[in-house]
Amino acid sequence: MEIEQLQNSLASYGVENTELIIKQDSVDLRSAILSEIDKHTVSVNEKDLTIRSLNQRLSRYELANVQLRLDMAILFPQIAHYSIGVQQYYNTRDSLVNYIAFVYQAKDDFPEEEEQK
C-alpha cells in the first residue's frame, strides 16, 4: 500500500517510467533497530553519569540548609538575613583556595560577648 503511493509519487519528482523496487531483509532491519536502541541507551547513560557528576560537584558548594537556618536563629537572633557560600580565591597564578563567605544583615548590634562567637 505504501509502496504503491511511493510508486505513484515518482512522476511528481520527475522520474517517469521508473519502477520502484524495495528489498528488505527482516533480520537486517531487526539488527539495525536494536543497534539504534543500544546507541540511544549508551547516550542516555552517558548523560545520566554527567548529570550525576555535576550534581555531586554542585552539592559541595551548597552550604545553606534548614538545620543551619534553625541554628542561626537560636544562636544569633539579631541576624535578620544572611547569605552563605563558597568563594574561590586565586592567591597566586596557579593556586586556588576555597573560603566560606558569610554576609549578614542584623536587626540590632551584637552584644560584646556575642561578637566573639
Side-chain angles (χ1 to χ4, degrees):
M1 178 169 239
E2 185 177 354
I3 296 173
E4 290 175 14
Q5 291 174 346
L6 292 172
Q7 181 70 43
N8 294 335
S9 66
L10 287 177
S12 65
Y13 294 113
V15 283
E16 298 87 6
N17 299 324
T18 304
E19 181 181 353
L20 179 64
I21 299 173
I22 297 177
K23 294 183 179 180
Q24 180 177 320
D25 184 5
S26 63
V27 173
D28 290 339
L29 181 62
R30 184 178 315 135
S31 65
I33 290 172
L34 290 174
S35 174
E36 285 298 315
I37 290 172
D38 287 342
K39 287 179 189 175
H40 179 69
T41 302
V42 167
S43 174
V44 168
N45 288 340
E46 288 175 0
K47 289 177 185 175
D48 287 343
L49 290 174
T50 301
I51 290 170
R52 184 177 300 129
S53 172
L54 291 172
N55 280 336
Q56 287 173 348
R57 287 177 60 190
L58 181 62
S59 69
R60 291 191 308 226
Y61 294 96
E62 292 178 0
L63 301 176
N65 59 41
V66 175
Q67 188 61 47
L68 177 64
R69 181 176 53 83
L70 295 173
D71 292 345
M72 291 292 295
I74 293 169
L75 295 172
F76 304 102
Q78 302 86 343
I79 294 180
H81 307 284
Y82 69 91
S83 174
I84 187 168
V86 176
Q87 297 292 313
Q88 294 183 325
Y89 173 70
Y90 293 90
N91 57 358
T92 62
R93 283 189 169 163
D94 61 349
S95 180
L96 176 69
V97 179
N98 289 339
Y99 287 110
I100 295 176
F102 185 78
V103 180
Y104 66 91
Q105 179 182 12
K107 297 178 237 178
D108 301 315
D109 289 337
F110 284 101
E112 279 190 43
E113 65 272 2
E114 294 222 2
E115 287 201 24
Q116 300 302 318
K117 287 184 183 178

